[in-house]
Amino acid sequence: MDDAFRVSLGFFEDVRPNALANKHGNIHIAAMYTGMAMVILEFAWFCLAQADVFPEIGEPANETSPKAREDIPPGLSVLIQTVQSDGAQDAHLNAPIIPRDPHRHAAAHYLALLMMRFVWLHEIAHGALGHIDFLQSLKANGEGRSLGLNELSLNELVSIHPGIDGRVLQCLEFEADSWALSQSILIQLAGQENIDGIAALPADLRCRMTLFAIYSMSWLMETMSSTFIRGRLAITHPAPIRRMQMLQNMAVWELNDLGLDMPALTRQTLGMFQTVLGQIGAQWLQTDQFDPHRYRVIFEETQDQLAPLRYIVPEDAIRR
Ligand SMILES: [Zn+2]
């Protein structure tokens, strides 16, 4: 058996902000929907339009630090208006919030690229860490449907397949987040940044921007999936931010192992991200009392099941 890891990356033309991991034959697939790129850019614009976000970039006094439109999280304003207008030619759409300072405008593009990198790495991780093979091994006999991970409808996956425990899927998400986080940071520490504009930034700023991008992305994904599950983009309830809580812990573990004094760096970055959430509206800030200890046993069991299916060793290799 040829067990080399092969992955094909690409965009999928679809207005929905989604990403997926799957496998066709022995080729893994990691795809980002084009709608996701749009949402990411709009969110990054909103962040850099806030004077308190990376004030060392450009002239923050030029920014007006607007709050988000009521009940619509930034990143989703263009998408939601597009869906609601149902493609009507004469629809009047509100323009997204964009930074005024040219340096901050450029920085928003870099932030968007770092966010997209985290999504790609997360989807690649689902393949490389054996998650897709694991899900496909659970496929009921004779069922033609290929089982992959679709970021916006994890709950759907549970309901189409009774053999999948929702907590196991959550563990797969945490693993993929953890790997994508450490790879994102390693790129900076190893001097492997291949985007010139980002590589030209001071190392400390690059690291904090990377962390900020990861917090942003997890918050967006969590907000969007809980929104979409409620159906038709009707945003009326607070979104859980359990993924962000996990990520903050992971960032401290991963980065400490890399020999950096990270608690201060992650605290500072998370604090800055929370000023962005403050501009979005209190309804998006609630947590859901997630208790990681409840997941501990199932996480360990899942890791045992995944071990023979892995193409790469997960982060424990670095941690130990
Ligand atoms: Zn995922």
Side-chain angles (χ1 to χ4, degrees):
M1 185 188 132
D2 178 9
D3 56 1
F5 181 64
R6 294 198 184 84
V7 61
S8 171
L9 300 173
F11 280 100
F12 184 71
E13 294 254 358
D14 191 310
V15 71
R16 287 170 296 172
N18 204 352
L20 62 83
N22 211 321
K23 191 181 183 186
H24 294 170
N26 3 346
I27 309 290
H28 285 268
I29 311 281
M32 190 185 307
Y33 288 34
T34 44
M36 176 69 96
M38 184 180 81
V39 166
I40 286 174
L41 182 59
E42 189 188 322
F43 189 83
W45 276 335
F46 178 81
C47 291
L48 269 296
Q50 310 298 325
D52 290 339
V53 171
F54 296 110
E56 63 269 58
I57 297 174
E59 191 44 76
N62 291 342
E63 305 300 345
T64 55
S65 308
K67 284 188 182 291
R69 290 189 48 219
E70 184 130 357
D71 292 339
I72 299 183
L76 294 168
S77 122
V78 169
L79 175 73
I80 288 175
Q81 292 182 74
T82 306
V83 171
Q84 286 174 346
S85 70
D86 218 9
Q89 291 298 310
D90 56 352
H92 174 75
L93 303 187
N94 290 295
I97 292 162
I98 296 179
R100 297 181 167 193
D101 181 89
H103 296 286
R104 298 178 62 77
H105 194 274
H109 280 257
Y110 298 142
L111 178 62
L113 290 170
L114 291 170
M115 289 168 75
M116 287 171 66
R117 175 180 288 158
F118 181 71
V119 175
W120 291 121
L121 289 169
H122 175 104
E123 299 307 330
I124 292 168
H126 279 317
L129 294 174
H131 300 170
I132 299 302
D133 290 337
F134 170 68
L135 289 174
Q136 296 196 343
S137 76
L138 299 177
K139 193 162 61 175
N141 282 336
E143 217 177 289
R145 184 163 183 172
S146 128
L147 212 49
L149 278 171
N150 173 318
E151 300 302 333
L152 282 184
S153 51
L154 292 176
N155 287 0
E156 240 171 70
L157 198 58
V158 177
S159 61
I160 62 167
H161 199 292
I164 299 176
D165 181 333
R167 290 174 304 170
V168 170
L169 288 178
Q170 200 84 64
C171 291
L172 303 185
E173 291 311 311
F174 291 147
E175 262 201 12
D177 275 350
S178 175
W179 190 79
L181 180 147
S182 63
Q183 295 304 306
S184 293
I185 298 288
L186 276 170
I187 286 169
Q188 300 307 329
L189 297 180
Q192 288 173 339
E193 178 54 67
N194 64 352
I195 298 166
D196 292 344
I198 301 175
L201 300 171
D204 163 75
L205 177 58
R206 279 188 281 124
C207 268
R208 284 184 295 123
M209 260 179 110
T210 301
L211 273 177
F212 190 92
I214 292 167
Y215 289 141
S216 303
M217 207 55 244
S218 336
W219 183 81
L220 262 179
M221 283 311 298
E222 197 68 26
T223 302
M224 288 190 295
S225 63
S226 52
T227 301
F228 274 76
I229 286 161
R230 279 183 233 111
R232 288 298 292 166
L233 293 169
I235 301 177
T236 49
H237 296 99
I241 56 172
R242 69 168 66 143
R243 241 166 127 161
M244 285 200 46
Q245 296 169 325
M246 283 298 282
L247 273 169
Q248 193 198 1
N249 293 337
M250 280 180 210
V252 171
W253 295 334
E254 300 289 348
L255 303 173
N256 268 338
D257 289 341
L258 297 172
L260 296 173
D261 169 26
M262 289 310 287
L265 207 68
T266 54
R267 230 185 355 261
Q268 196 257 10
T269 307
L270 190 63
M272 197 160 71
F273 184 72
Q274 279 162 345
T275 69
V276 171
L277 293 185
Q279 295 292 87
I280 289 168
Q283 70 270 35
W284 303 102
L285 291 175
Q286 299 184 30
T287 65
D288 63 353
Q289 311 297 315
F290 172 67
D291 173 15
H293 298 292
R294 227 165 47 81
Y295 280 68
R296 196 185 188 117
V297 171
I298 199 133
F299 201 13
E300 282 164 6
E301 284 171 8
T302 305
Q303 287 186 316
D304 288 343
Q305 287 182 288
L306 289 169
L309 301 170
R310 307 246 200 230
Y311 298 84
I312 55 170
V313 182
E315 282 322 299
D316 302 70
I318 290 179
R319 194 171 295 142
R320 280 168 195 157

